[in-house]
Amino acid sequence: MTQLFLPIRPRRNRRSPAIRGMVQETELNAADLIAPFFVIEGENIEEPIVSMPGVSRYSIDLLLEKIGHLCAKGIQAIALFPVLEVSLRNLDGNEAWNEEGLIPRAIEQIKAQFPHLCIISDIALDPYTSHGHDGILNEKGEIANDATIERLCKMALLHAQAGVDFVAPSDMMDGRVKALREALDANGFEHTGILAYSAKYASALYGPFRDAMQVSLQFGDKKTYQMDPANSREALREALLDEKEGADILMVKPALYYLDVIAKLREQTHLPIAAYHVSGEYAMVMAAAKAGYLDASKVFYEALLSIKRAGADLIFTYAIDAVIDQL
Ligand code: PBG
C-alpha cells in the first residue's frame, strides 16, 4: 500500500462522532424554530391541507392541543395566520381590525394557556381582502401604500392588546415599520416587538400557502410591492431601512433560494435575522418523499441547518414535526 507524505489531512477532524461533534460549526435547536399555524373559526375542526401533507387548518381549541404537543418538545414560538370565511372578506379588509376577530381571540386564548410561548402575528391585509392583495386599492386600482399602513396600525394595536409578543408586517409597504413602532409606542405597547418581513420576494413558492389560506389573487400579481428575485442589493436596502425604522428582527423570505441574501445581510446588521422556509419549499420535499425519492426528515434537517449556516438565527418552518426528534 502506498503511503503518501500528507501532513495536512482534513479527514482527521471527521474520524468519529465525538470529533465531529467537537468541530461542528452550526447547530439547529428547537428554540430557533417558529411553527406557523393556520387558524379557522369553529370547534373541533382540523382540515388537512392537500398541498402540504402533515399541515392542517385548526380551530382554536384543537390549535391549543397541537401547541401543547410542540411545547412539550421544546418549541417556544409560533406564528398565526387566519383563514377567513369568504363572506368576511371585502375591499376594505375591515375584519382585520375587528376586536372580536379570529386572531385577537386566538392570541388571548393561547397566551392564557401558554404564557411563556412567544406569539407572532402576521400583519397584512391579504387574508381579509376580497381580491387577495395585501393592500387596499386606490381609484386607479393600484395598491395604496399609505392608506394600507393606517389599517395595519389598527390591526397591530388589536393584536398587541390581545397580548402578542411580535407583530410581523409581511406586505412590503414602504414605511410600515416606522408607523407601527409609533402607533405601538403611542398606545403603551413599547414592549411589543416588530419582526419585519424585510426582504420578501415575489416568489412562486407561496402557492401552497395561498391554497392553505384559500386566497386566490383576483387580478395581477404582487410584483409592485414584493421584491424582484433578481435583486440582492435592494434586499439590503430594504432590511437596513427597516432596522432604521425600528424593527427588532429582520426577515428574508423565502429561505433556501435566497441563502446569498441571508449571508450578505448577516454582514450588514447586528439584528437577529429570521428566514421563512416557505410553503413551496416544504411541499416540494413532501411530494418527492411521497414518491419515494428522498427521506423528508433528513432533507429538512439539512435544509434548516443550511439556512442557519448562511446566517439566520431563527427559522419559520412547517417541517418541525419532521425534524424535532433529531434535535
Ligand atoms: C401574505 C403572506 C404570504 C406568506 C406569508 N404571509 C403569501 C403571499 O405573500 O402571497 C407566504 C408563506 C408561505 O408560503 O409559507 N402576507
Side-chain angles (χ1 to χ4, degrees):
M1 235 199 319
T2 42
Q3 172 96 51
L4 295 174
F5 173 63
L6 252 184
I8 298 174
R9 292 181 183 270
R11 285 184 57 194
R12 281 187 209 115
N13 285 351
R14 304 198 285 266
R15 276 183 66 224
S16 70
I19 296 172
R20 290 196 293 275
M22 238 167 29
V23 301
Q24 182 176 340
E25 299 173 34
T26 309
E27 205 180 347
L28 197 60
N29 302 304
D32 308 323
L33 303 179
I34 321 297
F37 282 112
F38 301 104
V39 195
I40 50 177
E41 206 58 77
E43 258 173 67
N44 200 26
I45 303 181
E46 170 173 4
E47 294 175 359
I49 297 157
V50 179
S51 53
M52 301 173 72
V55 179
S56 298
R57 306 179 195 95
Y58 293 105
S59 53
I60 297 176
D61 53 340
L62 292 193
L63 180 60
L64 291 168
E65 279 179 29
K66 178 79 188 166
I67 290 171
H69 295 308
L70 282 180
C71 287
K73 299 211 166 200
I75 294 299
Q76 298 178 35
I78 62 161
L80 297 175
F81 298 94
V83 183
L84 252 62
E85 291 147 39
V86 175
S87 63
L88 291 175
R89 306 179 194 184
N90 58 33
L91 278 173
D92 201 37
N94 57 356
E95 181 62 18
W97 52 95
N98 172 4
E99 214 162 320
E100 309 284 302
L102 182 58
I103 290 294
R105 271 184 286 129
I107 294 168
E108 269 168 29
Q109 292 184 38
I110 296 166
K111 261 293 160 196
Q113 196 162 331
F114 304 98
H116 301 296
L117 184 73
C118 169
I119 306 178
I120 301 165
S121 66
D122 202 68
I123 301 293
L125 295 182
D126 56 320
Y128 304 95
T129 56
S130 39
H131 44 69
H133 276 289
D134 291 34
I136 61 163
L137 309 178
N138 64 15
E139 353 24 273
K140 289 187 225 147
E142 301 157 341
I143 311 299
N145 194 84
D146 304 11
T148 297
I149 289 180
E150 268 174 48
R151 286 154 172 87
L152 298 182
C153 289
K154 289 201 264 185
M155 186 180 174
L157 287 177
L158 276 189
H159 295 188
Q161 182 147 19
V164 87
D165 294 275
F166 284 90
V167 290
S170 69
D171 63 2
M172 295 301 285
M173 295 299 132
D174 294 334
R176 75 230 201 273
V177 171
K178 178 167 181 279
L180 287 171
R181 187 68 274 155
E182 285 172 1
L184 290 167
D185 285 1
N187 288 277
F189 298 115
E190 62 275 5
H191 299 304
T192 307
I194 299 178
L195 190 162
Y197 284 61
S198 300
K200 175 171 179 179
Y201 287 90
S203 171
L205 292 163
Y206 308 146
F209 177 93
R210 291 183 196 164
D211 181 22
M213 300 281 281
Q214 295 166 330
V215 167
S216 60
L217 273 187
Q218 297 304 306
F219 63 90
D221 53 41
K222 297 194 175 186
K223 290 180 184 170
T224 68
Y225 42 108
Q226 298 181 349
M227 282 186 46
D228 184 342
N231 296 352
S232 65
R233 293 192 302 266
E234 188 183 356
L236 299 178
R237 180 179 185 221
E238 284 280 8
L240 297 179
L241 256 178
D242 284 353
E243 175 165 359
K244 256 195 220 139
E245 291 183 20
D248 300 286
I249 300 177
L250 305 173
M251 186 199 279
V252 175
K253 172 184 175 183
L256 286 177
Y257 288 16
Y258 298 87
L259 294 184
D260 59 320
V261 177
I262 296 172
K264 282 184 188 160
L265 183 56
R266 182 69 290 161
E267 315 242 291
Q268 302 260 337
T269 182
H270 293 144
L271 286 183
I273 298 176
Y276 202 136
H277 178 237
V278 301
S279 57
E281 300 180 78
Y282 176 81
M284 286 192 283
V285 174
M286 292 305 282
K290 238 186 188 168
Y293 300 156
L294 44 75
D295 177 330
S297 297
K298 288 185 179 159
V299 172
F300 282 136
Y301 184 85
E302 187 174 331
L304 298 177
L305 193 66
S306 298
I307 295 165
K308 272 205 84 181
R309 194 191 61 240
D313 302 288
L314 52 147
I315 309 171
F316 287 57
T317 180
Y318 305 98
I320 288 178
D321 287 340
V323 300
I324 193 79
D325 292 327
Q326 302 169 69
L327 306 182

